[in-house]
Amino acid sequence: MALYEPFPNYIWNLSVAIAMESGGQIGEIVDMCQPIKDAAASGADAGTPTFMKAWAAMGDKLIELADLDEAKGCAFSASNKLERASLYLITAERMQGHGHPGRRETYARAREAFDRSTSLGRLNRERVEIPLASGTMPALYTRAPGEGAKPVVVFCNGLDSCKELLYWTRLPQELARRGISTLCVDQPGSGEALRLQGLPVDPHSENWASAAVDWLEERSDVDPKRIGMTGISLGGHFAPRAVAYEPRFASGAVWGANHNWREVQDKRIAREGENPVPHYWAHVHWAFGAKDQEEFLAKSEAMNLNGHMDRIRVPFLVTHGAGDRQISVKYADDLYDQLVNSPRREKVIFTAREGGVEHVGADNMAYGRDLISDWFAETLGGRNS
């Protein structure tokens, strides 16, 4: 299994692959990528304005076409186009540096298209806001079908994702098939929480994850004894940390282990491994609310799970891609080895035999999605058939 690589740099190719896995149409993606190949040759950072222009133009065209569908009363078709428009606009936006001209407006159009798609398509997701000590945590709630109290999984972002991209992994849809609801969160340092509220990363993820549990416990459609937690990419730090320090979680999993992210920063300084987004250092300074590199590195000291994982006393699944170019597969070994008090610990490394070998399965999310869905069905009392 290989990452689709139309460009000469990893970061641009990663964004394209994520868009493809999130529901983009290959013909539209080719049309967006073909005219900007020369811009990619100038470097992952330098050409991003050209990238945004091409991808945002496709998003805007799809919004216009959706308007025509809606005017004809074809709400479902309009929703389909708006869904892709939002995806392309979000992809365009996340490739830009903090403060880049047009970034805020592009994000606003993406959110508006997403919300219209939800309404017109009657999609099983509800935008909610969870109170935090400071501000709120915007989230998308996908309900499992049927009456009564259901299990639920809290699904958190990595460094540069958002709740919409979490939804587009299709993990919420697969969990719903198995009788489990999902809460996709824009935790501090990501998505709306960062962009619209300025809330920085909190390495002590139990602070905001516990707020999510508090919110879920108030709902009549949630079984408070069957709440799980998972995260993607840097969520491979946040989810284990939350499960370790929030005893109300009944099961946990990671879609990519991120056991010692502070150490990863030293490797990136030494140019070892690939970055996830252009303008990387500016992005992490923004996400952590740091004024400079020294302050960022100091704040990231807490992004290390060593010495914490023995607190996990519930089932926990560790997954990782064998060919991950960002985060070493050895961190999956570290996490698994330190789950000494988990009553059921499992580790799955995706290989070329099945795919999903790249970072969080950017080459093929199907295997990670199925495995994590099955895991929570087994450990939270859902169903697999």
Side-chain angles (χ1 to χ4, degrees):
M1 193 65 63
L3 198 70
Y4 176 56
E5 298 184 304
F7 297 118
N9 68 74
Y10 169 84
I11 296 176
W12 286 36
N13 291 330
L14 179 68
S15 286
V16 172
I18 291 171
M20 290 173 65
E21 285 295 304
S22 299
Q25 290 289 336
I26 185 63
E28 292 168 348
I29 288 174
V30 169
D31 285 348
M32 291 184 287
C33 291
Q34 282 291 110
I36 60 175
K37 284 188 173 180
D38 290 344
S42 64
D45 293 358
T48 54
T50 304
F51 187 105
M52 185 167 79
K53 182 178 180 180
W55 283 62
M58 180 65 76
D60 290 339
K61 181 180 80 170
L62 286 166
I63 291 172
E64 292 175 3
L65 293 172
D67 291 342
L68 296 175
D69 283 339
E70 186 178 8
K72 293 187 295 184
C74 301
F76 293 159
S77 293
S79 173
N80 291 339
K81 293 178 180 67
L82 289 166
E83 200 79 353
R84 298 200 308 280
S86 180
L87 169 62
Y88 299 152
L89 289 165
I90 283 174
T91 302
E93 185 268 349
R94 73 180 282 279
M95 287 284 283
Q96 307 310 305
H98 177 47
H100 184 276
R103 183 173 188 178
R104 179 183 292 272
E105 294 79 8
T106 302
Y107 184 65
R109 294 203 308 280
R111 287 187 58 243
E112 181 183 9
F114 187 87
D115 290 345
R116 282 183 62 201
S117 177
T118 302
S119 175
L120 291 171
R122 301 181 184 179
L123 300 178
N124 179 18
R125 62 192 188 206
E126 177 189 0
R127 187 186 183 282
V128 301
E129 295 206 27
I130 297 163
L132 299 175
S134 175
T136 64
M137 182 164 60
L140 296 171
Y141 186 53
T142 297
R143 292 174 177 80
E147 301 296 323
K150 304 292 183 181
V152 62
V153 171
V154 179
F155 188 12
C156 73
N157 286 314
L159 174 69
D160 53 286
S161 55
C162 58
K163 63 187 180 302
E164 292 83 4
L165 285 169
L166 296 182
Y167 179 83
W168 288 323
T169 67
R170 300 197 295 285
L171 182 65
Q173 294 90 322
E174 288 300 322
L175 287 170
R177 289 178 70 189
R178 291 160 173 80
I180 302 170
S181 299
T182 308
L183 186 71
C184 298
V185 300
D186 273 346
Q187 77 269 10
S190 69
E192 285 186 54
L194 175 65
R195 287 160 173 79
L196 303 185
Q197 300 184 53
L199 298 180
V201 170
D202 183 352
H204 299 159
S205 53
E206 65 273 16
N207 292 333
W208 47 262
S210 294
V213 176
D214 292 341
W215 185 85
L216 288 167
E217 284 187 331
E218 295 297 316
R219 300 188 62 90
S220 61
D221 59 349
V222 170
D223 182 345
K225 301 297 184 184
R226 295 190 290 166
I227 300 176
M229 174 83 183
T230 191
I232 197 164
S233 190
L234 190 53
H237 164 87
F238 297 128
R241 168 86 196 198
V243 173
Y245 284 91
E246 174 45 80
R248 291 176 291 176
F249 284 119
S251 178
V254 295
W255 202 339
N258 230 315
H259 192 76
N260 189 345
W261 195 72
R262 175 61 185 84
E263 185 177 75
V264 172
Q265 305 320 296
D266 294 332
K267 293 179 179 180
R268 285 178 173 161
I269 290 170
R271 299 184 180 277
E272 296 178 22
E274 298 283 1
N275 291 338
V277 288
H279 318 283
Y280 176 75
W281 295 111
H283 181 86
V284 293
H285 295 173
W286 174 40
F288 277 75
K291 65 180 182 294
D292 55 26
Q293 185 77 340
E294 181 180 3
E295 185 177 359
F296 161 67
L297 292 174
K299 288 187 173 188
S300 67
E301 285 292 339
M303 304 292 288
N304 182 349
L305 296 177
N306 286 319
H308 300 282
M309 294 299 92
D310 61 341
R311 297 176 61 98
I312 292 181
R313 299 181 182 276
V314 297
F316 206 94
L317 170 68
V318 181
T319 76
H320 208 87
D324 193 323
R325 291 183 249 179
Q326 290 186 45
I327 306 296
S328 171
V329 70
K330 87 173 188 68
Y331 289 126
D333 299 330
D334 293 341
L335 176 55
Y336 176 82
D337 291 345
Q338 293 177 29
L339 293 169
V340 293
N341 291 315
S342 170
R344 177 182 173 184
R345 57 176 176 168
E346 293 187 19
K347 178 177 66 176
V348 176
I349 307 300
F350 297 113
T351 69
R353 179 176 181 269
E354 64 275 352
V357 301
E358 293 281 353
H359 185 64
V360 299
D363 56 312
N364 187 344
M365 286 185 144
Y367 292 96
R369 179 170 59 239
D370 287 347
L371 181 68
I372 293 170
S373 299
D374 290 343
W375 170 263
F376 283 120
E378 293 171 11
T379 58
L380 295 179
R383 60 179 181 273
N384 275 329
S385 62

